[in-house]
Amino acid sequence: DDLPLKVWLQEHIWPIEGAVIGPGFVADGVTLAIAEMLRGGTTCCNENYFFPDVQAATYKRHGFRARVGLPVIDFPTAWASSDDEYFDRAGEVHDQWRDDALIRTAFAPHAPYTVNDANFERVRMLADQLDVPVHLHLHETAQEVQQSIEQHGQRPIARLDRLGLVNDRLIAVHMTQLTEAEIHLCAERGVSVVHCPESNLKLASGFCPVERLWQAGVNVAIGTDGAASNNDLDLLGETRTAALLAKAVAGSAQALDAHRALRMATLNGARALGLDTQIGSLEIGKLADLVSFDLSGLGCQPLYDPVSQLIYAANRQCTRHLWVAGK
């Protein structure tokens, strides 16, 4: 707790992972995450971690919908020891789950500062061939942007654009450091931005300009990042934080109203994952991924606007029932 991103990641998270990570560790972590998400009203997630084969099998076993990331990073881990092995194993996992009703895959190159140009180009080519999204941490901190300028002579999103990755497959997570030109580039190319306000606040990474992105026409969704930096997987609580923070960042009490915040947590998230024709809203023909909340408690009375109460007054303990694909 209570450390900036680089110190937290490089001096604590990565060494601990190196000591303990393995298939059993990942299975246990995913199982706990599924239980927390189900009890908190979440039916689907976008996953980015090692051992995606174990993740996928665990999500499937518990009937949870997920788009599982196929990790790519420039150094050896317990999952893969070389560039070729990362891509070979990614292909194997994708092939295993390509026709599954609940589990989908995406390429998950970790971040611009941990993936080289050649691997990014390889990701782009394979993502196009396999028709899957590309999910990565992008413009998370000012330090990341400055490091990219020093090493590559351009900002991270410009580098990704040069490599052909800034398009409607891109799921860009964090995006706290954006110029107006970069916001409009995301809008023009159909990039989805995943806003993780509580992780960004805890790591003091910066503020995603949610209202400016929204007004420019960018699809913005809500993410929790992960329990390691959050410290929970409370999507409803995250949405409340997003709605409140957006007002402070924009300097306007009208920024990100409750109804738009709810859309970010539902349909916009489905759109970011390329699943909006199947889930994300209650429509005839879509899959029955549903959650019901009990707003009868004292903290939600009097009930004038259910959406307002859900976003600004309720919490995940109000979750009563949840269905994934009707179950």
Side-chain angles (χ1 to χ4, degrees):
D1 286 332
D2 309 316
L3 294 169
L5 175 66
K6 187 174 182 180
V7 175
W8 172 81
L9 190 63
Q10 296 182 358
E11 298 181 21
H12 295 271
I13 296 297
W14 284 346
I16 293 168
E17 282 179 337
V20 304
I21 194 171
F25 175 85
V26 172
D28 288 347
V30 170
T31 301
L32 178 58
I34 291 168
E36 181 181 356
M37 288 189 288
L38 289 173
R39 291 297 296 269
T42 299
T43 63
C44 175
C45 76
N46 184 43
E47 174 69 83
N48 177 2
Y49 203 55
F50 301 107
F51 294 93
D53 55 341
V54 174
Q55 297 169 36
T58 307
Y59 283 117
K60 180 69 173 181
R61 184 164 63 253
H62 293 289
F64 195 91
R65 192 179 306 281
R67 191 175 279 281
V68 173
L70 307 170
V72 175
I73 198 165
D74 280 354
F75 51 80
T77 63
W79 169 245
S81 59
S82 67
D83 292 347
D84 286 343
E85 189 175 8
Y86 277 110
F87 285 100
D88 289 345
R89 300 199 73 178
E92 292 169 1
V93 176
H94 173 79
D95 287 344
Q96 182 179 353
W97 295 96
R98 65 191 311 162
D99 298 319
D100 194 83
L102 281 178
I103 309 301
R104 304 291 181 88
T105 61
F107 274 101
H110 173 257
Y113 54 89
T114 53
V115 179
N116 61 50
D117 282 8
N119 282 343
F120 269 132
E121 289 179 325
R122 199 167 172 182
V123 164
R124 178 190 53 76
M125 178 188 70
L126 290 170
D128 289 347
Q129 289 179 356
L130 301 177
D131 191 23
V132 298
V134 176
H135 162 224
L136 79 158
H137 305 83
L138 183 61
H139 282 229
E140 184 173 0
T141 65
Q143 183 181 26
E144 171 199 330
V145 174
Q146 184 58 38
Q147 179 181 327
S148 178
I149 292 170
E150 293 170 358
Q151 295 183 355
H152 302 282
Q154 54 190 164
R155 291 164 66 86
I157 197 168
R159 176 178 164 228
L160 290 181
D161 191 29
R162 170 171 58 81
L163 298 170
L165 284 157
V166 180
N167 54 42
D168 60 2
R169 295 190 191 282
L170 183 60
I171 304 171
V173 185
H174 298 296
M175 299 288 266
T176 70
Q177 316 288 321
L178 292 173
T179 65
E180 285 299 319
E182 290 166 343
I183 290 172
H184 288 291
L185 177 66
C186 290
E188 291 168 7
R189 300 291 181 78
V191 173
S192 285
V193 170
V194 179
H195 177 37
C196 303
E198 293 183 7
S199 173
N200 293 341
L201 286 167
K202 186 163 187 269
L203 296 170
S205 297
F207 304 107
C208 178
V210 171
E211 186 67 14
R212 286 159 53 205
L213 286 161
W214 188 289
Q215 295 302 331
V218 178
N219 181 57
V220 189
I222 299 285
T224 58
D225 201 0
S229 63
N230 188 295
N231 291 12
D232 57 37
L233 304 176
D234 180 0
L235 194 62
L236 183 58
E238 198 83 30
T239 304
R240 181 185 186 186
T241 300
L244 297 174
L245 184 62
K247 300 173 195 328
V249 171
S252 168
Q254 294 178 302
L256 196 59
D257 58 85
H259 287 260
R260 286 191 290 149
L262 180 59
R263 181 174 287 264
M264 283 176 62
T266 53
L267 186 57
N268 287 13
R271 184 171 295 133
L273 299 186
L275 299 174
D276 52 307
T277 61
Q278 297 178 284
I279 61 172
S281 58
L282 308 185
E283 299 180 54
I284 293 171
K286 285 196 173 185
L287 302 174
D289 286 18
L290 315 172
V291 57
S292 71
F293 296 96
D294 181 356
L295 301 182
S296 67
L298 290 175
C300 292
Q301 299 302 313
L303 183 59
Y304 297 120
D305 179 347
V307 174
S308 175
Q309 293 298 71
L310 184 65
I311 300 303
Y312 293 127
N315 57 51
R316 60 178 170 173
Q317 278 68 45
C318 296
T319 305
R320 285 296 173 266
H321 304 286
L322 184 143
W323 299 259
V324 178
K327 296 184 180 179

